[in-house]
Amino acid sequence: MRPEALNPLFAEVQTLEGVGPKLMKPLEKLGLTRVKDLAYHLPERFVSRRAVADLDSASEGEQVIIALNAIEHRAPRAGSRGPYRVLAQDTKGNVCSLTWFGRAAYSAKKLVPVGETRWVAGRLDRYGDMLQIVHPDHIEEASAAHMGRLSEPVYRLSEGLTQPRIADFVEQALARLPELPEWIEPGQLARSGWPTWAAALRLAHEGTEPKAHDRLAYDELLANSLALLLVKAEGRRRRGAALVGDGALRARLQLPFALTGAQARSIAEIEGDMAQEAPMLRLLQGDVGAGKTVVALNAMLIAVEAGKQAALLAPTEILARQHFETLRKMLGPTGVEIALLTGRAKGRERESILMGLLNGSIQMLVGTHAIFQDTVNYRDLGLVVIDEQHRFGVAQRLALAAKGRRAPHTLAMTATPIPRSLTLAQYGEMDVSRLDELPPGRQAIETLVIPQARMEEMVAGVERHLASGQQAYWVCPMVREIDGVPDLADIAAAEARYAALKERFGDAVVLVHGQLRPEMKDAAMERFVSGEARLLIATTVIEVGVDVPNATLMVIEQAERFGLAQLHQLRGRVGRGSLKSRCVLLRGDALSEMGKARLALMRETQDGFRIAEEDLALRGGGELLGTRQSGEAGFRIADLEQTQRLLETAHADARLLMERDGGLTSPRGEAARILLYLFERDWGVQLLRGG
Ligand code: ADP
Ligand code: MG
């Protein structure tokens, strides 16, 4: 149950004065549904204004507060799209125009009647010969209290909201802040000189007081770390089984290559973890093509040698299939029983897999999230491997962990290159193995950046490439989502490109995108993997894992729209065999300096970790963690700089609290529970109650 002290904060926004049904939508769009959301809706920036006596003492571009007397209204001519202007003069008779465009003009008439004086706040600009203030921020009869405020917050808005409106709601929310007990460790609080929680929130809406912002960011990081630690503690409480394999199965593997040093080291680390009763919680980080699969296979074989089952969870159907095929081939000489379970297995087939899992005849399972539905029960699940960890939430991780009679060991794998400084935020307390060495003999992928305008040339290049007997990928962006639905314009663009290339290359072309029915998607993929189709047009569904060594050319349209991490992963689809590979980034004409720098970085290096670090430096990496995939580490308050500066201390503070009071029952523990609710990480608290 949510602590009572939080009730005023969790009240719906409708309980605020002035929030009616009409404003609910725009507020909801900003994610502001409860009073606390408004309190945490921090200003994007502040404008500082200067009160000026007359227009002569103000300069263009300046934010001013000035008393003006309206002399004339000029409405736009009927049918014209011109602005609505109110001409007004200062005490010296200098004239300036208050200007409104579009629907905003309706309110203007009433706000400044001819002959009356008003206090106007806004940015002074010039339009031709005339000084003007476009869409004044405030117009007041008298110099009301907040007109006198010279530094003023600017909030993120959505259609239907105005700055004064939202400022008013925020003010009401702040007036309702309860006194909450302190969750930050007293020593830390004293050292940093931070204000209390309520004071920090108020200050953060008033100005750019770094201490206030730092405190709030720290709170968020602390909540995140605590929640991750609670998950870990839960795993520890449920103890696992110590798994020691005799090596018999591993000895029968006939790999066509020798393991790299990094692979051998990672396997040894995993083997060490699995031999402990405490369940393993290890992250295997390795760039695309670093060879994570064979590491996973070794871990799974250890579990089977120890008489347990192992499951591998893949993020998509296509990847599950590919993993299944790869593992089955490698397992050939070992005699291990492996099965594939996806959402599409139905009837008899599904029944027999479920039976095999329950009686233990199936030793390894590969699949999508279907493998942890309630109806799937294992005889004795000893290890779970999760590929592309970032796509799965903590809740799913927990659901899986609850499957076995004892908590299974968990190995998470990711190719998403995350800078070191952010690993802790995303993966918390996981132990990390890094595959920082690629298998030998990999060829560098030549990367080119060319303007989209040279499309015809590009198509001719693809034609020559296909004629040489090799295959190619052609990727169209599907980056945008509107309210969680892929942008139809992007789908249309991919389909149009497909139609155009099909005209040129005929049946050699296949199309794959997320909106296709799974059967069609798989049929297309299979034709490409078998080599029957030569050119695969795709949206980012091919992003992870697909392995076709004969595909040696990757064309990416509108490359500037992709995140660098995504581009890096896409590029990793080629260069998988011994043939020389190329990646062509087609770019739009109007590219910012930043955009150019980002694409240049792609051309310069193939080191995913370096790309991640530099992208972080270039643009402050919202997208590092993936545009939409920011998932668990997506902070709302803490920015990247703060995350890097404060995370370690917050994490240490969280760990200390957990060591002293793992059940969160001390006064500070109770306060920490409140914090977890505030940042919607109360799944951490739920775990406690389950005990
Ligand atoms: P990842 O999942 O890390 O992107 P994969 O496990 O799919 O990479 O491996 C990429 C390719 O490299 C596969 O074709 C695999 O057989 C091969 N490979 C893996 N390890 C080695 C190695 N030590 N030496 C040579 N090739 C390897
Ligand atoms: Mg892989």
Side-chain angles (χ1 to χ4, degrees):
M1 263 260 293
R2 192 167 61 216
E4 233 163 72
L6 287 171
N7 288 350
L9 289 171
F10 277 77
E12 315 255 306
V13 284
Q14 296 99 293
T15 61
L16 296 172
E17 190 115 2
V19 183
K22 241 175 77 188
L23 287 179
M24 291 281 301
K25 269 257 163 65
L27 285 172
E28 206 180 305
K29 231 184 190 152
L30 294 169
L32 309 175
T33 58
R34 279 151 312 176
V35 169
K36 80 166 176 69
D37 302 325
L38 275 162
Y40 273 109
H41 191 59
L42 301 187
E44 277 186 325
R45 59 194 168 86
F46 290 84
V47 292
S48 39
R49 302 189 192 284
R50 198 160 67 90
V52 293
D54 49 59
L55 290 163
D56 293 335
S57 41
S59 35
E60 279 169 43
E62 195 178 1
Q63 293 280 356
V64 296
I65 302 177
I66 186 171
L68 292 170
N69 183 271
I71 49 181
E72 184 190 342
H73 280 215
R74 283 191 193 160
R77 259 175 288 120
S80 112
R81 283 172 167 257
Y84 190 96
R85 291 181 183 281
V86 174
L87 302 187
Q89 60 187 359
D90 65 11
T91 47
K92 286 189 179 169
N94 298 313
V95 176
C96 121
S97 161
L98 306 177
T99 307
W100 285 269
F101 291 91
R103 293 175 44 171
Y106 295 128
S107 55
K109 293 180 200 167
K110 287 177 284 170
L111 285 171
V112 269
V114 172
E116 300 207 9
T117 297
R118 292 288 184 269
W119 286 90
V120 179
R123 203 179 109 111
L124 189 66
D125 286 313
R126 177 172 292 281
Y127 177 72
D129 295 338
M130 178 100 77
L131 286 171
Q132 69 172 0
I133 296 176
V134 178
H135 291 192
D137 293 323
H138 299 286
I139 294 183
E140 305 276 343
E141 276 185 53
S143 181
H146 68 271
M147 286 290 292
R149 212 155 93 182
L150 296 181
S151 166
E152 188 170 286
V154 179
Y155 293 102
R156 198 154 58 86
L157 296 178
S158 59
E159 173 88 36
L161 277 171
T162 61
Q163 289 298 342
R165 263 264 152 76
I166 201 154
D168 174 40
F169 299 154
V170 168
E171 211 171 302
Q172 292 185 56
L174 292 176
R176 291 200 197 174
L177 296 186
E179 281 302 317
L180 296 180
E182 185 55 73
W183 44 77
I184 296 183
E185 201 264 317
Q188 171 62 27
L189 208 58
R191 263 194 308 281
S192 49
W194 288 335
T196 64
W197 168 76
L201 270 177
R202 294 203 176 95
L203 281 169
H205 285 277
E206 275 165 25
T208 47
E209 167 55 50
K211 282 191 190 327
H213 279 266
D214 277 1
R215 194 234 140 99
L216 298 176
Y218 188 84
D219 283 350
E220 184 172 36
L221 298 170
L222 183 64
N224 186 62
S225 286
L226 257 180
L228 289 168
L229 288 173
L230 284 166
V231 172
K232 183 170 189 181
E234 164 70 9
R236 282 277 143 83
R237 197 164 32 242
R238 291 187 53 242
R239 290 218 309 209
L243 303 186
V244 180
D246 59 7
L249 294 175
R250 279 170 284 166
R252 264 182 261 159
L253 279 182
Q254 288 161 7
L255 296 178
F257 49 75
L259 295 176
T260 65
Q263 284 170 325
R265 181 166 25 84
S266 300
I267 292 169
E269 285 163 353
I270 291 165
E271 194 168 12
D273 282 0
M274 289 176 69
Q276 309 294 319
E277 260 197 359
M280 168 169 74
L281 200 53
R282 184 170 283 277
L283 177 71
L284 179 64
Q285 252 188 327
D287 216 336
V288 217
K292 292 184 288 297
T293 317
V294 71
V295 175
L297 174 66
N298 274 274
M300 292 169 88
L301 282 173
I302 293 172
V304 175
E305 283 170 2
K308 303 275 180 171
Q309 292 163 300
L312 188 154
L313 175 65
T316 65
E317 186 103 23
I318 292 176
L319 275 174
R321 252 164 226 287
Q322 199 158 59
H323 271 311
F324 174 68
E325 294 301 338
T326 311
L327 293 178
R328 192 167 60 170
K329 260 184 234 139
M330 291 201 276
L331 283 170
T334 64
V336 169
E337 272 305 313
I338 183 167
L340 172 72
L341 181 64
T342 69
R344 274 193 285 141
K346 295 269 144 57
R348 275 259 185 76
E349 184 197 349
R350 184 180 154 85
E351 284 309 312
S352 96
I353 293 172
L354 293 188
M355 187 60 77
L357 288 171
L358 199 57
N359 67 25
S361 60
I362 294 177
Q363 296 156 296
M364 283 187 191
L365 183 71
V366 177
T368 54
H369 59 276
I371 69 174
F372 52 62
Q373 282 163 355
D374 285 342
T375 46
V376 181
N377 291 295
Y378 299 82
R379 189 176 68 85
D380 201 354
L381 184 60
L383 171 73
V384 176
V385 180
I386 307 177
D387 197 15
E388 283 311 318
Q389 158 82 19
H390 66 280
R391 303 199 165 201
F392 297 98
V394 171
Q396 274 168 310
R397 205 191 290 164
L398 290 174
L400 252 190
K403 276 286 158 187
R405 267 182 289 141
R406 287 160 170 268
H409 297 282
T410 303
L411 176 67
M413 307 198 289
T414 181
T416 308
I418 297 171
R420 269 182 204 280
S421 56
L422 295 184
T423 313
L424 189 61
Q426 184 140 26
Y427 297 107
E429 284 281 272
M430 286 182 143
D431 300 303
V432 178
S433 298
R434 266 195 174 197
L435 291 183
D436 48 12
E437 174 187 355
L438 290 182
R442 287 285 153 81
Q443 300 232 16
I445 301 166
E446 186 188 354
T447 301
L448 307 160
V449 180
I450 69 173
Q452 190 99 16
R454 283 164 59 189
M455 179 63 72
E456 195 36 52
E457 230 172 283
M458 187 68 242
V459 175
V462 169
E463 184 158 35
R464 284 192 301 276
H465 181 83
L466 299 184
S468 79
Q470 294 171 45
Q471 290 164 282
Y473 297 100
W474 186 298
V475 178
C476 302
M478 177 86 76
V479 181
R480 265 176 302 179
E481 278 189 0
I482 297 166
D483 295 335
V485 178
D487 188 347
L488 290 178
D490 278 343
I491 296 174
E495 275 172 350
R497 182 67 65 214
Y498 170 64
L501 291 172
K502 195 171 168 71
E503 200 150 293
R504 182 103 167 218
F505 302 120
D507 278 347
V509 189
V510 286
L511 173 69
V512 172
H513 62 65
Q515 298 303 101
L516 283 182
R517 284 211 314 279
E519 308 86 81
M520 303 198 40
K521 198 153 66 180
D522 279 13
M525 274 315 295
E526 268 152 35
R527 283 193 58 215
F528 187 71
V529 173
S530 73
E532 193 189 329
R534 325 285 312 159
L535 178 62
L536 177 72
I537 319 262
T539 57
T540 49
V541 288
I542 57 159
E543 184 180 325
V544 262
V546 176
D547 194 5
V548 182
N550 190 45
T552 49
L553 172 65
M554 165 72 61
V555 180
I556 303 176
E557 275 196 57
Q558 299 181 53
E560 70 274 10
R561 285 182 53 197
F562 291 85
L564 289 191
Q566 241 179 337
L567 285 179
H568 178 68
Q569 290 207 325
L570 284 168
R571 181 169 59 183
R573 296 306 107 220
V574 297
R576 297 180 85 84
S578 51
L579 298 166
K580 165 122 195 97
S581 288
R582 262 195 202 93
C583 173
V584 183
L585 305 175
L586 295 174
R587 63 161 178 84
D589 301 329
L591 206 55
S592 65
E593 285 307 309
M594 164 92 67
K596 283 181 193 152
R598 295 172 73 241
L599 294 187
L601 180 62
M602 290 304 296
R603 202 168 44 203
E604 195 183 306
T605 181
Q606 228 169 292
D607 175 343
F609 289 104
R610 190 181 149 211
I611 288 174
E613 301 287 352
E614 298 211 3
D615 195 28
L616 177 70
L618 265 176
R619 46 166 294 152
E623 70 160 355
L624 279 178
L625 308 167
T627 344
R628 283 270 165 160
Q629 323 159 357
S630 60
E632 291 154 49
F635 295 124
R636 278 188 316 160
I637 306 293
D639 64 22
L640 265 172
E641 186 276 322
Q642 287 171 318
T643 304
Q644 297 188 69
R645 179 160 48 84
L646 300 172
L647 181 62
E648 281 196 22
T649 327
H651 201 74
D653 188 9
R655 198 179 307 153
L656 204 67
L657 176 61
M658 285 296 291
E659 273 164 22
R660 289 186 189 151
D661 177 22
L664 300 185
T665 50
S666 67
R668 225 185 114 223
E670 296 277 353
R673 287 178 187 236
I674 290 180
L675 175 69
L676 289 166
Y677 274 95
L678 272 182
F679 284 100
E680 293 175 18
R681 280 167 171 86
D682 43 304
W683 39 262
V685 182
Q686 316 294 341
L687 281 179
L688 277 176
R689 243 182 316 118

